Amino acid sequence: MSTKIKITHLQKSFGAVQVLYDIDFHVDEGEIVCLLGPSGSGKSTLLRCINQLEVAQGGLIKIDGEIQGWREKNGKLYELSPREIVAQRGQIGMVFQRFNLFPHLTVLQNIIEAPVHVKGLRKDKAKQLARSLLESVGLASKEDAYPSELSGGQQQRVAIARALAMEPKMMLFDEPTSALDPELVGEVLNVMKTLAKTGMTMVVVTHELAFAREVADRVVFMDQGRIIESGPPDVILTSPENIRTKAFISSVFN
């Protein structure tokens, strides 16, 4: 199995505050990894570094063996141009806590915007793809609706369809259910479970331990900017070795 994401010695600070310390992390192709940990542990920042929404101060991120944000030549690293970075970022789908849909566009228009204007896909082809994706997330009847006419769960499912419309190599989810009312969480998790079965490589920041147990191939626990523990969900969620992991899991279940 090939390595999809390989991170070595990643360091990230915001001003004088360091939020990621010497992160070594990998995700294999088709693997589903759930990142767990308390708020402020660096999980979301790690995702944002993978997608080049944040610039790290040290370390390397490789996707399919390609360094993100840099080009290596004669043993030296040279920063990529903004256009090259956008091209790299376009290979990664990301779904945020908030849905970030364009309020003035319909559901269908939201989904086709990037494929048409970023990838240059013909509009008729983009619409065909969008309708197929809307059907896959259970929203085929909502293509002409505006985001304000949808529930939070429906908006998040549209956001997932929009990310998939770019035909990404992998998907990153940053606590995709944390902004939802409890009764709407299940509909989003069900879409993610279905996506997981397709073999899509996924990294998911979540507090939904039952979802992690059911779907993840591996669970990674982070605390204070460091990876503390990593392993199969049945091991990490049932009998973790680290005292901080134990405390976190106990607090969530209680």
Side-chain angles (χ1 to χ4, degrees):
M1 184 179 294
S2 62
T3 298
K4 200 74 175 171
I5 305 171
K6 184 174 177 60
I7 298 174
T8 51
H9 304 301
L10 192 70
Q11 311 274 348
K12 174 62 186 172
S13 299
F14 293 106
V17 179
Q18 189 161 352
V19 293
L20 293 177
Y21 295 84
D22 200 32
I23 296 290
D24 287 323
F25 177 70
H26 76 279
V27 181
D28 290 331
E29 181 152 13
E31 190 177 22
I32 299 156
V33 176
C34 285
L35 300 180
L36 307 180
S39 297
S41 59
K43 308 180 303 295
S44 294
T45 301
L46 177 56
L47 281 198
R48 292 176 67 83
C49 286
I50 294 172
N51 205 25
Q52 300 190 69
L53 296 173
E54 300 288 352
V55 178
Q57 278 74 46
L60 288 179
I61 299 171
K62 291 184 178 181
I63 294 176
D64 286 338
E66 181 180 24
I67 299 172
Q68 301 299 286
W70 303 87
R71 178 186 295 106
E72 189 172 11
K73 186 176 181 180
N74 298 326
K76 293 184 178 181
L77 292 176
Y78 298 89
E79 193 169 1
L80 296 183
S81 69
R83 176 176 289 184
E84 289 171 317
I85 289 173
V86 167
Q88 285 189 333
R89 190 183 293 137
Q91 302 178 71
I92 304 170
M94 188 156 179
V95 177
F96 300 87
Q97 296 178 33
R98 295 289 172 180
F99 326 118
N100 296 332
L101 300 177
F102 297 114
H104 62 291
L105 299 180
T106 66
V107 164
L108 190 73
Q109 290 168 336
N110 262 280
I111 295 173
I112 70 171
E113 181 77 8
V116 169
H117 294 291
V118 177
K119 292 185 71 174
L121 193 65
R122 276 179 24 203
K123 188 170 283 189
D124 60 332
K125 293 290 185 182
K127 287 182 177 180
Q128 184 180 354
L129 173 62
R131 289 184 175 118
S132 174
L133 289 168
L134 282 173
E135 185 171 354
S136 73
V137 299
L139 292 173
S141 64
K142 299 294 186 180
E143 68 171 68
D144 294 324
Y146 287 89
S148 62
E149 300 171 320
L150 304 178
S151 69
Q154 289 172 328
Q155 289 187 61
Q156 192 62 294
R157 284 188 278 158
V158 173
I160 293 172
R162 181 177 63 177
L164 291 172
M166 289 294 285
E167 300 181 317
K169 292 181 175 181
M170 68 195 68
M171 289 287 290
L172 309 178
F173 293 87
D174 186 7
E175 298 195 44
T177 61
S178 65
L180 300 178
D181 292 333
E183 66 270 20
L184 301 177
V185 169
E187 64 186 61
V188 174
L189 293 181
N190 284 337
V191 169
M192 293 172 65
K193 290 175 187 176
T194 301
L195 180 60
K197 292 175 183 176
T198 68
M200 174 68 75
T201 305
M202 296 167 57
V203 183
V204 184
V205 172
T206 184
H207 285 101
E208 302 287 342
L209 299 192
F211 172 81
R213 186 191 299 274
E214 180 180 350
V215 175
D217 298 301
R218 184 160 45 97
V219 167
V220 174
F221 179 75
M222 293 184 66
D223 190 32
Q224 297 181 356
R226 294 178 171 87
I227 291 178
I228 303 299
E229 196 165 357
S230 175
D234 287 346
V235 174
I236 301 298
L237 299 179
T238 304
S239 53
E241 295 181 357
N242 190 280
I243 189 170
R244 282 182 281 181
T245 315
K246 290 178 182 178
F248 173 79
I249 291 171
S250 177
S251 69
V252 173
F253 279 131
N254 292 335

